[in-house]
Amino acid sequence: MLKAALGGLYVRQAGSAVRRALAFRRNGDPNAILDIGTGSGCWIIDMAKQYPHAEAVGMDLVPPNFVLPPPDNTRFECDDANHGLSQYFPESFDVVHSRCITMGITDYRGLLREAYNVLRPGGVLLTVDCDMIVYNENQETFPDANEGEPRRSPGAKAYLDTSKWIKEMGETDCPWDERGERVVWVPLGPWTKELEGDRVNRREFIAAQLIQEDFAGIGRTLRPVLVASGNPEETVDRWIREQEAEVREMKVKIYMKVSNIVSLHPLRYALT
């Protein structure tokens, strides 16, 4: 879904920086890419295919389930990012990527510092997160529910502070060379006028459909976590039924906000 929404493996504004970071090295050292919280592994596999000369590393708590063997320049490691990235040598990666992992990270600001340490000079940090708050058709937040919100993990809203933290790090001991942020609004289902009729943007239409399917099943996926957090099972099941019905029927027009932050490890060139 995010690949369709972003128009590629990362936002267009990051393209030149990523290509420079992953250009062949004159000293013969291999380029390297790290995907933190790799999940299905699809992002790091696509990057491995696009940059076959680079070592592509996917890290997560469990290994992906592959339909086809991954490229030879790809490897997957089982590890918990909450324990940091000290297993990797400093300045050992040219690109570090994380996507939709803040809810599972207890100290996301600390993880950003770890990412800085493992990036080579001129390396690129790519962070992508979907806002777990839904927005109305005017891209405004809905009023809070009367019965309150489910309990949240410590990192549930960390993405809101990511840009600020990176800026503050740049003023202390982690001087990021340049930062850029781009927000992409994706409708939850093909309900917008731009996605109706014959002349529609096919990529945006597919992204809207995919995020609708993802959201329709997110309640069932999160059920064990919601129950384990102390919410009554009957309440959780009601949340799930109501949430799925709203997503399928599209009676409420909803946008999802995808935040993309690009940060460069110090080297003298500009992000275009």
Side-chain angles (χ1 to χ4, degrees):
M1 182 277 294
L2 286 175
K3 184 177 180 180
L6 303 180
L9 296 173
Y10 37 79
V11 290
R12 178 182 56 81
Q13 290 85 342
S16 59
V18 171
R19 288 190 293 271
R20 274 190 290 257
L22 293 175
F24 283 98
R25 294 183 168 279
R26 294 180 180 178
N27 61 7
D29 289 342
N31 298 93
I33 309 165
L34 175 64
D35 186 22
I36 304 172
T38 195
S40 67
C42 60
W43 187 88
I44 195 66
I45 288 174
D46 283 348
M47 286 292 286
K49 293 177 180 177
Q50 189 168 329
Y51 298 95
H53 61 281
E55 295 179 354
V57 181
M59 185 188 80
D60 212 329
L61 293 172
V62 295
N65 292 318
F66 302 116
V67 176
L68 298 172
D72 292 339
N73 60 323
T74 310
R75 75 174 189 270
F76 292 89
E77 301 177 350
C78 293
D79 218 328
D80 187 351
N82 284 302
H83 298 156
L85 304 175
S86 59
Q87 67 271 39
Y88 302 115
F89 290 111
E91 300 185 0
S92 54
F93 292 98
D94 300 287
V95 173
V96 173
H97 172 266
S98 71
R99 176 173 293 192
C100 301
I101 67 170
T102 53
M103 289 188 69
I105 303 298
T106 55
D107 181 11
Y108 194 66
R109 181 170 184 163
L111 184 61
L112 293 173
R113 185 179 299 276
E114 296 268 355
Y116 180 92
N117 291 335
V118 300
L119 272 173
R120 290 169 172 153
V124 182
L125 172 65
L126 303 170
T127 68
V128 182
D129 264 291
C130 291
D131 196 334
M132 296 310 293
I133 301 170
V134 292
Y135 295 79
N136 64 23
E137 56 190 316
N138 299 315
Q139 299 178 354
E140 300 168 340
T141 57
F142 287 94
D144 292 337
N146 293 329
E147 60 184 302
E149 298 180 350
R151 300 174 188 175
R152 298 176 183 271
S153 69
K157 291 188 176 181
Y159 68 92
L160 294 173
D161 295 317
T162 301
S163 184
K164 181 187 73 172
W165 288 341
I166 289 176
K167 181 179 179 181
E168 291 175 352
M169 290 166 62
E171 296 170 353
T172 55
D173 56 340
C174 296
W176 295 100
D177 192 51
E178 193 169 346
R179 301 170 301 277
E181 181 173 10
R182 185 191 173 203
V183 171
V184 177
W185 294 93
V186 184
L188 203 161
W191 56 263
T192 64
K193 292 181 179 179
E194 292 78 9
L195 298 181
E196 296 175 350
D198 298 328
R199 302 183 64 181
V200 300
N201 185 308
R202 186 64 180 167
R203 176 180 60 79
E204 294 179 2
F205 186 88
I206 292 173
Q209 283 188 319
L210 290 175
I211 198 171
Q212 183 183 34
E213 288 302 313
D214 287 347
F215 241 74
I218 199 170
R220 294 189 300 275
T221 302
L222 293 177
R223 187 183 187 281
V225 177
L226 293 171
V227 172
S229 298
N231 299 292
E233 289 193 35
E234 59 272 19
T235 301
V236 172
D237 290 337
R238 176 169 58 82
W239 286 343
I240 293 172
R241 290 194 302 271
E242 293 174 351
Q243 175 263 338
E244 184 168 354
E246 285 189 9
V247 171
R248 296 289 188 192
E249 295 167 3
M250 290 194 299
K251 291 181 179 179
V252 179
K253 310 305 183 185
I254 296 175
Y255 272 111
M256 291 298 298
K257 180 181 177 182
V258 182
S259 176
N260 303 265
I261 298 176
V262 183
S263 307
L264 307 186
H265 199 288
L267 193 64
R268 291 181 176 84
Y269 57 70
L271 181 63
T272 57

